[in-house]
Amino acid sequence: MSHVQAPEASVRPTKNVHVELTVNGEPREFLCAPRESLLDVLRNRLGLTGAKEGCNNGNCGACAVILNGVPVNSCLVLGVEAAGAEVETVEGLAKGSHLHPLQQCFLEDAALQCGICTPGFLVSAKALLDRNPDPSEEEIRLHLAGNLCRCTGYDKIVRAVQDAAKANT
Amino acid sequence: MKAFEYAAPRRESELAGLFSGRPGATAVLAGGTDLVGLMKKMIVAPDRVVNIKEIASLYGISADSAGVTVGAVTRLDEMLDSADLDAFPAVKQAIRGINSMQLQSQGTIGGELCQRPRCWYFRNGCGLPTELGRMVERGDNRYHAIFGNRGPAKYVSASRIAPALVALGASVRIVGPASGEAVEGPPKNGAPVAQDGNALGEAIMPLADFFVTPRAPHQGETVLDPDQIVTHIHIPRDEQIASATYEVRQSEGPEYPLAAAAAALRIEAGVVTEARIVLGQVAPVPWVSEAAAAAIVGQAVTPESARAAGEAAVARATPLSQNRYKVQLARVSVERAILQAAGLETGGF
């Protein structure tokens, strides 16, 4: 672009930006165009397809990941913004074959049907329990209000988060 | 999404060289919760995106005896957690209303104020606002304005925190090129200077004057020029002011309210001596209701006086063909914001 003059070093071109970050505790790197979202990068360049593309517009929460300690909709974050960041995705919850208490309770409480919203719920619920290990039902419902599920009616999801909180304490 | 260049300056002074004065050429990225979605739909298609989140001076909350200053890229969840903002319940209540943890922990205060209208004609590529005026008037306008809608702009201002901040008398700091015509207000000593020698100009203005109703396609919803950004918001401290925000929402999800109001009241010896009532989601700007304020000043806050203020607020509403229902919701919002500010039961849910 020639219409603006800028210190060259601070403007990245439209293609192939090199980004280094930490994903689920491991250092990763990728090349991406500035217009690719973090969700695109996770799924298409890093092979982490746990985060789902739902509305792609920040309404449904299916793409939620934890970015530097806070839950975000990765469809609304640019991949280049994640340079130097720590990202946690649903793939980081289980330790080998040992499920995270949230995952175990989602299974036992049948807190999923079709499952496409489940990674987002798990990540949002983890962000909640990391911050508040013993949330009330109302706090859970408020915290998960940015995640949409069209199958379960939410009750079982809320019970599963309550049970996971009990299991943790 | 159209391809774009990306810049992430680390100092305010670097901004001067990064912006073009050409409308639409450069977009400012903060939390991204509005901009990224607009870019995906090509409603906004900049040549360059400038991420301002890495500029340390734009981040954080500081308080002194005069008030609280919030940097534009401070996240909404950080504002909720800040004890410095406990003195301004209207602000915290408005943030809590954004019922999505992701949007609260991703969104910034500067972006919340500068977000584009939710108008579905605009969001579907029909432009804003002049070419829209007739379309909205004849079409589905159930979520559109009931005040300030006689001109071409009939959308509602999207910000949910602005009514509270306007009611509390907040001001904004704006920076842009010093030579530009658009920087209003007195220049301050110590304005930042860009690396290449271009000076950045600074303006501080009441937030109430920041929002404007556009009359022509090239005008925006705020006074910002394409090469200006909001850097800080300042809320003056006044221990005597009680405040509240009340939103009418269709459900508990993260969708926008149908109507809202913020009230800031000075109550002395049981009587309101000063009031600022600002409605949200009802006009192209946060709508300051002098009539509601006049109705409550001199009165004790009671269900009756609050109701009278609500009625005064909507007496001159000009609803469109499908949004007459919003008049009632706006009335109730004002009534309940006043009751809530005074610590009384609001009724309802």
Side-chain angles (χ1 to χ4, degrees):
Chain A
M1 295 304 131
S2 57
H3 62 274
V4 274
Q5 282 142 22
E8 279 306 312
S10 64
V11 178
R12 315 298 294 268
T14 54
K15 286 183 182 171
N16 294 339
V17 179
H18 180 233
V19 175
E20 292 181 45
L21 76 173
T22 305
V23 181
N24 297 327
E26 294 192 1
R28 300 291 297 263
E29 59 183 329
F30 56 83
L31 288 173
C32 80
R35 66 173 172 170
E36 288 177 55
S37 71
L38 178 58
L39 176 65
D40 293 337
V41 167
L42 288 171
R43 292 181 59 87
N44 302 336
R45 298 195 180 271
L46 298 180
L48 295 169
T49 55
K52 296 289 183 273
E53 182 180 300
C55 68
N56 212 17
N57 203 23
N59 292 312
C60 75
C63 64
V65 301
I66 297 176
L67 178 67
N68 293 328
V70 297
V72 300
N73 290 323
S74 62
C75 73
L76 295 182
V77 179
L78 300 179
V80 287
E81 283 183 75
E86 289 195 20
V87 177
E88 296 174 61
T89 70
V90 71
E91 286 91 344
L93 262 62
K95 300 298 171 217
S97 60
H98 187 69
L99 291 181
H100 187 278
L102 277 164
Q103 293 170 310
Q104 192 63 42
C105 292
F106 265 61
L107 275 179
E108 290 171 6
D109 293 343
L112 66 157
Q113 285 182 34
C114 86
I116 194 163
C117 69
T118 309
F121 270 101
L122 288 168
V123 166
S124 290
K126 178 173 188 294
L128 170 64
L129 295 186
D130 285 350
R131 188 186 157 109
N132 178 359
D134 186 23
S136 66
E137 177 178 340
E138 190 187 357
E139 284 169 329
I140 294 170
R141 286 185 184 274
L142 275 177
H143 191 93
L144 297 180
N147 290 79
L148 302 184
C149 172
R150 301 291 79 174
C151 306
T152 63
Y154 302 105
D155 255 14
K156 290 177 176 177
I157 293 172
V158 174
R159 303 287 164 256
V161 177
Q162 287 175 311
D163 289 346
K166 279 184 213 143
N168 263 345
T169 50
Chain B
M1 209 183 304
K2 199 188 87 170
F4 52 80
E5 297 177 331
Y6 175 78
R10 294 183 175 263
R11 286 185 298 277
E12 230 178 87
S13 58
E14 292 173 36
L15 287 169
L18 289 173
F19 286 95
S20 151
R22 191 160 61 79
T26 313
V28 179
L29 173 68
T33 55
D34 190 32
L35 177 68
V36 175
L38 288 168
M39 291 197 300
K40 284 180 181 177
K41 293 188 81 175
M42 303 282 278
I43 307 290
V44 174
D47 298 323
R48 176 179 291 169
V49 169
V50 179
N51 175 5
I52 60 169
K53 283 199 299 295
E54 294 182 20
I55 302 176
S57 62
L58 303 192
Y59 174 79
I61 299 170
S62 60
D64 59 24
S65 58
V68 177
T69 301
V70 186
V73 301
T74 309
R75 301 195 320 260
L76 302 179
D77 66 328
E78 294 171 313
M79 291 177 70
L80 270 187
D81 289 344
S82 167
D84 288 330
L85 291 168
D86 284 345
F88 311 106
V91 173
K92 287 202 170 186
Q93 287 159 9
I95 297 174
R96 279 198 200 96
I98 303 167
N99 259 352
S100 161
M101 277 318 112
Q102 293 93 316
L103 297 182
Q104 283 179 10
S105 55
Q106 202 167 343
T108 64
I109 183 64
E112 210 284 336
L113 295 175
C114 295
Q115 65 182 306
R116 306 299 306 277
R118 307 304 303 178
C119 167
W120 51 24
Y121 294 95
F122 170 63
R123 298 268 160 178
N124 283 293
C126 298
L128 194 78
T130 43
E131 56 276 45
L132 265 184
R134 296 179 73 79
M135 197 188 293
V136 175
E137 207 163 340
R138 293 172 182 168
D140 192 332
N141 49 39
R142 73 183 85 170
Y143 299 129
H144 286 76
I146 57 169
F147 291 102
N149 55 5
R150 293 297 175 85
K154 301 188 190 298
Y155 61 84
V156 299
S157 172
S159 173
R160 296 168 69 163
I161 308 175
L165 290 171
V166 171
L168 290 163
S171 54
V172 281
R173 175 176 177 269
I174 294 168
V175 300
S179 54
E181 296 170 9
V183 178
E184 295 166 13
K188 295 258 176 175
N189 290 332
V193 176
Q195 279 177 322
D196 58 2
N198 290 338
L200 277 178
E202 176 191 64
I204 294 173
M205 63 165 58
L207 183 63
D209 299 339
F210 175 73
F211 296 97
V212 293
T213 302
R215 302 275 163 198
H218 66 276
Q219 295 172 335
E221 305 96 76
T222 68
V223 298
L224 286 183
D225 273 353
D227 47 10
Q228 293 180 316
I229 67 163
V230 170
T231 64
H232 296 85
I233 291 92
H234 181 264
I235 315 172
R237 186 184 299 282
D238 188 333
E239 307 293 347
Q240 305 302 316
I241 298 286
S243 71
T245 294
Y246 190 93
E247 292 184 338
V248 179
R249 296 194 297 268
Q250 206 153 23
S251 69
E252 290 294 323
E255 81 272 22
Y256 281 68
L258 299 167
L265 310 174
R266 183 187 306 281
I267 303 175
E268 293 171 298
V271 174
V272 177
T273 56
E274 193 185 325
R276 212 160 149 85
I277 311 290
V278 186
L279 286 82
Q281 315 294 328
V282 295
V285 295
W287 190 255
V288 178
S289 176
E290 307 282 357
I296 197 72
V297 166
Q299 311 283 321
V301 176
T302 62
E304 292 73 30
S305 65
R307 186 180 174 88
E311 280 167 3
V314 299
R316 305 186 70 173
T318 52
L320 302 168
S321 60
Q322 296 182 9
N323 66 3
R324 185 163 293 275
Y325 75 100
K326 287 184 77 166
V327 176
Q328 161 79 355
L329 302 187
R331 182 187 71 70
V332 170
S333 299
V334 168
E335 179 183 333
R336 292 184 180 174
I338 290 171
L339 290 171
Q340 193 169 306
L344 301 176
E345 287 290 323
T346 59
F349 297 104

